[in-house]
Amino acid sequence: MELRQFFRLKEAVVFTFTLPAFLMVLLGSIFGDAAQAFAAGMIGSGIVSTSFVSMGGGIASDREDGTLKRLRGTPLPATSYFLGKIILVAVSSLAEAVLLLAVAKLLFGLNLPSSPHRWLTFGWVFVLGVTSCALLGIAASSLARSVTGAVAIMNLVYVALQFISGVFVTPITQLPTVMVDAASFFPVKWICQGFRSVFLPDALAANEMAGRWELGTVALVLGAWCVAGLVLCRLTFRWSNSR
């Protein structure tokens, strides 16, 4: 039902799916030599946009128009509602990634991974990234009483984290250390770093702050945010705007 409802909104579908690919075209055209790195960053950025901003905005809208309150009074389990939302953002994020990779391959000669090990890394980074950001989006949906306020807050956080997490700057070592240290507390930096390990040669791991991909740390941080996001959802989620 969530998927059918989403795909009926043609403007939202076009914007959601094409924005990362559009930014990829712009950045790749300006910084052609860094297209491979930008592709990895834009996949991560797309996941955060869909899983965090869109998830939070969608739930805030359902709360504001009374949908959540009405659903609460039906036999529908709360788990089914949240799983529907998470499946929606997972499918949307995967479609975004496929479109972006196709554009980057056709226009900039993006080298796709050839080893199963790298695709396996892509898979678990994708799953942990979508799950952690979706849970944080659910929690963040309760930050404001209106959908406008919630989306404004989440977009502010999203844009700020993109810049300090190295999405638009490559290599990330060009950023001030204090910015990267701050970004290291949040999922965006680690999602993008995980995807860089998939699409970039191992020799370019030297361009990371630690001089290596740190995949163990990527898994640990994203896993910790999955747990933290679940806890925050339990503590902050409400079915209506009345406190």
Side-chain angles (χ1 to χ4, degrees):
M1 186 176 70
E2 290 286 348
L3 288 169
R4 287 200 303 269
Q5 184 178 2
F6 173 72
F7 283 107
R8 286 171 182 163
L9 304 173
K10 295 181 177 60
E11 297 86 354
V13 171
V14 171
F15 178 80
T16 299
F17 287 166
T18 59
L19 180 60
F22 175 71
L23 292 176
M24 177 69 223
V25 172
L26 290 181
L27 294 172
S29 300
I30 298 170
F31 308 101
D33 294 339
Q36 196 87 7
F38 281 128
M42 291 315 304
I43 292 173
S45 176
I47 286 175
V48 178
S49 174
T50 304
S51 301
F52 177 67
V53 180
S54 297
M55 169 72 89
I59 292 180
S61 177
D62 287 348
R63 182 183 295 113
E64 186 174 63
D65 66 14
T67 298
L68 279 181
K69 188 174 183 179
R70 291 192 297 272
L71 286 176
R72 186 60 168 167
T74 71
L76 176 75
T79 305
S80 297
Y81 172 77
F82 294 120
L83 285 178
K85 292 288 188 184
I86 292 174
I87 290 171
L88 169 62
V89 298
V91 171
S92 301
S93 297
L94 185 59
E96 281 180 10
V98 170
L99 177 61
L100 187 148
L101 291 176
V103 169
K105 178 68 175 176
L106 291 173
L107 298 184
F108 305 108
L110 177 72
N111 296 318
L112 296 177
S114 56
S115 69
H117 173 73
R118 286 181 179 252
W119 283 115
L120 179 62
T121 301
F122 179 94
W124 66 257
V125 172
F126 180 88
V127 170
L128 288 178
V130 168
T131 304
S132 59
C133 291
L135 291 171
L136 290 173
I138 294 170
S141 70
S142 300
L143 291 176
R145 286 181 173 270
S146 69
V147 61
T148 304
V151 171
I153 292 171
M154 287 181 286
N155 270 308
L156 177 63
V157 172
Y158 168 60
V159 171
L161 287 178
Q162 280 188 104
F163 279 97
I164 69 174
S165 300
V167 173
F168 301 125
V169 179
T170 182
I172 194 173
T173 49
Q174 293 183 8
L175 289 171
T177 303
V178 64
M179 281 190 179
V180 181
D181 287 344
S184 297
F185 287 99
F186 302 98
V188 184
K189 186 256 189 188
W190 299 104
I191 293 171
C192 293
Q193 185 168 317
F195 285 133
R196 285 196 294 271
S197 77
V198 173
F199 293 99
L200 299 183
D202 287 334
L204 293 184
N207 290 333
E208 300 297 330
M209 298 301 291
R212 58 187 187 279
W213 296 129
E214 300 181 284
L215 290 179
T217 306
V218 172
L220 181 63
V221 172
L222 295 182
W225 273 111
C226 288
V227 175
L230 187 60
V231 172
L232 287 172
C233 288
R234 296 284 296 176
L235 293 175
T236 64
F237 185 79
R238 60 183 191 274
W239 294 92
S240 68
N241 279 328
S242 38
R243 298 182 182 276

